[in-house]
Each structure stands twice: as C-alpha cells, then as structure tokens.
Amino acid sequence: QVQLVESGGGLVQAGGSLRLSCAASGRYTMGWFRQAPGKEREFVAGITWSGGITYYADSVKGRFTISRDNAKNTVYLQMNSLKPEDTAVYYCAATTYVSTVALPTSRNGYTYWGQGTQVTVSS
C-alpha cells in the first residue's frame, strides 16, 4: 500500500507563491490534481519517474512547476503568481504506469491518492 503525504498548503495573497510537497516511496509516475468547492477534481501537473516528461494544465502553464527528487522520495509543485481561482484542495497522486514518453492526465489514470492540502489565494 502506497502512502502519499502532502504538505505545504496554506493561505497566500494573489501574486504570491507556495510550494507543495508529496512524500512517496517507490517507482511511480506522479501527478497533482486539485478540487475546488462544487467542481470536479482536475489535473494540474504530472511528472514521469525519471523527471524527463512533465505536463501541465493550460490554466497553470508558465506559473506552476512540478519536479521530483527521487533520492528524497519527494515530488514538488512550485506555484507562483497565484490567483484566487487557484484556490482548491490539492491532491498528490501516483500510478505504477511508468513511461519515458507519456503520463496520464486523467483522474482514472492514477491509483494512489494523498489526503489533500488546502490552498487558499486571497484577492
């Protein structure tokens, strides 16, 4: 059983930055999703095991950066230029699907999920 533990959420003003972390041991493709109140959980960013492939939702492209440190079993989501519409619970997810050329971007593509961390951006 894979355990994913997120940290780093909080309250920040618009234009500010936060960095989320997700601790997960094992060889996994990792993703970040978010869910705002009354909305579906949506893909934010993903990264392959090697870190060679990353993919972002259009809404965060150029503002968010996903990275990983496999020696520390940790995946990061650096969020800059935050907007009020980024407010959501952010979830870390993992899948045993490992590829060097692609990664899943749908919720169904991931098997393991963290408990979520709240990110609130005030205007």
Side-chain angles (χ1 to χ4, degrees), residues 8 19 25 34-35 40 43 46-48 51-52 55 61 64 67 70 75 78-79 81-82 93 97 99 115-116 119:
R19 188 177 79 160
S25 60
R34 66 186 181 187
Q35 188 166 15
E40 295 289 319
F43 175 82
I47 187 167
T48 52
Y55 192 76
K61 205 171 292 183
F64 291 10
S67 62
N70 289 339
V75 175
Q78 178 67 43
M79 305 185 295
S81 302
L82 283 161
Y97 173 81
S99 170
Q115 80 286 353
V119 171

Side-chain angles (χ1 to χ4, degrees), residues 8-122:
L11 173 64
V12 65
Q13 288 188 330
S17 299
L18 282 174
R19 188 177 79 160
L20 305 183
S21 299
C22 175
S25 60
R27 186 181 176 93
Y28 302 104
T29 293
M30 302 295 294
W32 285 97
F33 287 72
R34 66 186 181 187
Q35 188 166 15
K39 294 188 177 181
E40 295 289 319
R41 192 171 299 186
E42 64 176 0
F43 175 82
V44 174
I47 187 167
T48 52
W49 161 252
S50 68
I53 301 292
T54 58
Y55 192 76
Y56 298 92
D58 287 343
S59 58
V60 306
K61 205 171 292 183
R63 299 187 298 121
F64 291 10
T65 302
I66 188 170
S67 62
R68 67 190 303 160
D69 184 340
N70 289 339
K72 296 183 178 179
N73 294 321
T74 302
V75 175
Y76 304 98
L77 185 68
Q78 178 67 43
M79 305 185 295
N80 298 329
S81 302
L82 283 161
K83 304 175 181 180
E85 50 263 44
D86 294 318
T87 295
V89 177
Y90 282 71
Y91 296 91
C92 176
T95 174
T96 54
Y97 173 81
V98 176
S99 170
T100 58
V101 297
L103 58 88
T105 59
S106 68
R107 183 175 179 176
N108 290 339
Y110 292 83
T111 305
Y112 306 103
W113 294 84
Q115 80 286 353
T117 185
Q118 177 71 46
V119 171
T120 303
V121 184
S122 63

